[in-house]
Amino acid sequence: MSSPATVSHTHPKTKLEDSVQYLKGIGPEKAKALNSVGIETIEDLLYYIPRRYLDRSTILPINKLKVGSTATVIGRVESFGIKRGRRRPQFQVIIRDETGFMYLIWFQKLKYIKNLFEENDLVVASGEVRLFGGLQMIHPEFEIVSKSGVEKDEEELIHTGRIIPLYPSTAELKKLWLDSRGLRRVLKPLLDNVSNLVTETLPQNVISDSDLLSLPKALKNIHFPEDLQVTNLARSRLAFDELFYLELMLALRKKKIHREEGIAFQKPGNLVRPALKMLPFELTSAQKKVLREIAADMMSKTSMHRLLQGDVGSGKTIVALVAMLMAVESGYQSALMAPTEILAEQHYITIHQMLESLGVETVLLTSSVVGSERKSILEDIARGTAKVIIGTHALIQKKVDFFKLGLVVIDEQHRFGVMQRAKLKQKGSSPDVLVMTATPIPRSLALTLYGDLDVSVIDSLPPGRKTIKTYLYSGNSKSKIYEFLEKELQKGHQAYIVYPLVEESEKADLKAATQSHELLKKEIFPHRRLALLHGRIRSKDRESIMQAFRHGDYDILVATTVVEVGVDVPNATVMIIEHAERFGLSQLHQLRGRIGRGEDQSFCLLVADPPLSEEAQKRLKAMCSTTDGFKISEMDLKLRGPGEFFGTRQHGLPELKIADIVTDASLLYQARNWAFRIIEEDPNLVQKENLCIRSNFVRKYKRRFSLVDIG
Ligand code: ADP
Ligand code: MG
């Protein structure tokens, strides 16, 4: 067994970037264990934030101790030794202060412990007070304050006699003595020297204006706080830092994009006008408003980088189509990338129908398009005869060469990673980019996820839509549900019955959907026309099933979650969701968005069998009580936490370790204001007061910035 890390003085030349192995007492083995929890450098160690604190700052006289309470005492060692008890040996230390004496007792690590104490040592100990033939503490936290007459300064107490930090630990760390106690030992000398180790990362005026602690003070107090209140201030300061640099990256990215020379498209004209005339409806004022914003961006010389947000069913597709036609009018190609084949196929069907009569060649490219068909589509894209290109991830493959790509539209953008979006953009030369999302998110999150984009919002639904009515049923009520469904079908409406399909249990789920389809078709709705749709069905067949359903050739579509996004059949007014408890909230909202697309009243029936987990109950209740995407996403954020929305995977931004965008929203707004203001005034960070930002940014974030840069 190795010995605990020794308290050592840091080398005067220690740098933040140094590996932890640079520290005395940290050998390769310990370094490896630290690496496994994400601590590689001395800086990582400094930012390893305590999980919580124990207040051991108040020392009680021994005669004031209460049995059962946790307390801290200080006393001199009167005697010590190993006692062979009836069951197992124990090591006993008797300590005494002016008011009495007590026992400190160990059953473990005796060999190590027994060599630590000498008579007359001054010891501080914390633990639960027990009464067993005298007052005692078992395995107390302790610290020998004075040894051989040399008194340690009260300030130097690490483990007790103060507020002490408790760190997240792992079995591996513990085995190597790097439990909270060991980490405190390693951290203490670093923090004693922290003013030499770190340099301030924020300009002085930001610090004073936002009432922040200095960085060294924050780091000291997050680990070894003077009192518990100051831990909150310390945490806020570190959270602010994180948010500030995150927003700084967004500000820089936005600045860079806006400097980028892009395509100046012509005013919408000879294609857009007839296309709008062909629509069976008038655009809503919300749609017109966002189209004006998009057109202005496209006509300007800088590239567009715009997010179009609008709840499910708000009519984003037509907006995207107009933008794509604008690019085509100016002699460019437009590409629309969707996350699933079904959605790409849907878009293709809608758009192809409209554009055929305008003489605009539209093609569909997914991984299901193969052989000679694929070859000729690729040729059309490369030659430029295909003007509007719709597809999935297949669009970003190497083999796909565009003739002159001017506009990139990404539907349901949250489903794509930053790299995928960047790859499509790179297929053109500074094309304009429009990303679309139906996921309404709280403002604080939007500012972070899309902080560098201009945002257009479609904030109202097309007229005449009735609020979908949603009800929860248990599986026992099947006959009632089917009766209801039959009544709706008699009115000439159509319906979806949706089954969950998750990857881990895919086979079983697929079987469930298939069997139910059989059963429904043969026994319950033999007089009705049913179709089955899932991801394993060949693309061509899937397309024709969807076509037929849209034409009204089927009454009921039994489907897995492949219908989750984009499917658009206004005559469908009923959706039955089986095992609704297995779906996430935003997924349920997306699914339900497939109905309520016409003027008739729509109904969503959620089927779930008890017992339901508390969370599932909350989700289902939320679904029954509102159709407002904003309310639903806020609820979702509360239930799942921001992690799901906010992963590096999604946007290439650094992970937040300390800040929490939900609870630290007000810090976020402050940090954002500062970051954007500073970049506006001093984009290259060359003013004297901003040099500290520049050097910290280069040191810590530069590598990431190249990643952020391209999305
Ligand atoms: P989403 O925003 O979810 O992508 P879609 O673009 O699929 O929504 O549109 C939903 C439905 O609303 C479609 O059937 C579409 O034809 C219809 N729609 C779009 N705009 C209007 C409008 N201004 N008036 C009436 N219906 C509209
Ligand atoms: Mg859509």
Side-chain angles (χ1 to χ4, degrees), residues 544-560:
S544 60
I545 292 168
M546 273 318 298
Q547 257 318 3
F549 185 62
R550 185 194 290 257
H551 281 154
D553 300 343
Y554 291 114
D555 304 305
I556 301 174
L557 187 66
V558 178
T560 58

Side-chain angles (χ1 to χ4, degrees), residues 232-258:
N232 294 328
L233 295 178
R235 206 199 69 87
S236 290
R237 157 67 215 240
L238 300 177
F240 186 98
D241 242 34
E242 251 186 356
L243 295 167
F244 177 83
Y245 278 91
L246 178 76
E247 293 297 333
L248 192 80
M249 260 188 256
L250 294 170
L252 284 168
R253 178 153 81 172
K254 189 163 184 176
K255 193 91 197 163
K256 182 164 190 283
I257 290 160
H258 280 251

Side-chain angles (χ1 to χ4, degrees), residues 316-317 347 411-412 566:
K316 294 184 292 295
T317 315
H347 281 319
D411 196 13
E412 305 294 340

Side-chain angles (χ1 to χ4, degrees), residues 43 59 131 205 207-208 231 404 407 430 452 485 501 513 515 616 632 686 695 711:
E43 182 166 34
I59 292 172
L131 188 65
N205 59 335
I207 293 179
S208 50
T231 60
K404 199 176 171 192
L407 174 70
S430 295
D452 58 335
L485 175 54
L501 182 72
Q515 282 175 346
I632 287 188
V686 289
S695 61

Side-chain angles (χ1 to χ4, degrees), residues 10-58:
T10 40
H11 195 274
K13 288 203 195 109
T14 309
K15 288 201 303 288
L16 288 175
E17 297 83 1
D18 288 336
S19 149
V20 279
Q21 223 176 306
Y22 195 85
L23 293 170
K24 272 194 198 147
I26 304 287
E29 205 183 1
K30 282 183 178 163
K32 211 174 131 227
L34 288 170
N35 292 350
S36 73
V37 295
I39 303 174
E40 304 208 338
T41 62
I42 289 180
E43 182 166 34
D44 295 335
L45 192 59
L46 286 177
Y47 284 87
Y48 197 61
I49 304 301
R51 172 165 60 83
R52 60 190 182 93
Y53 303 89
L54 273 185
D55 189 350
R56 290 191 181 141
S57 54
T58 351

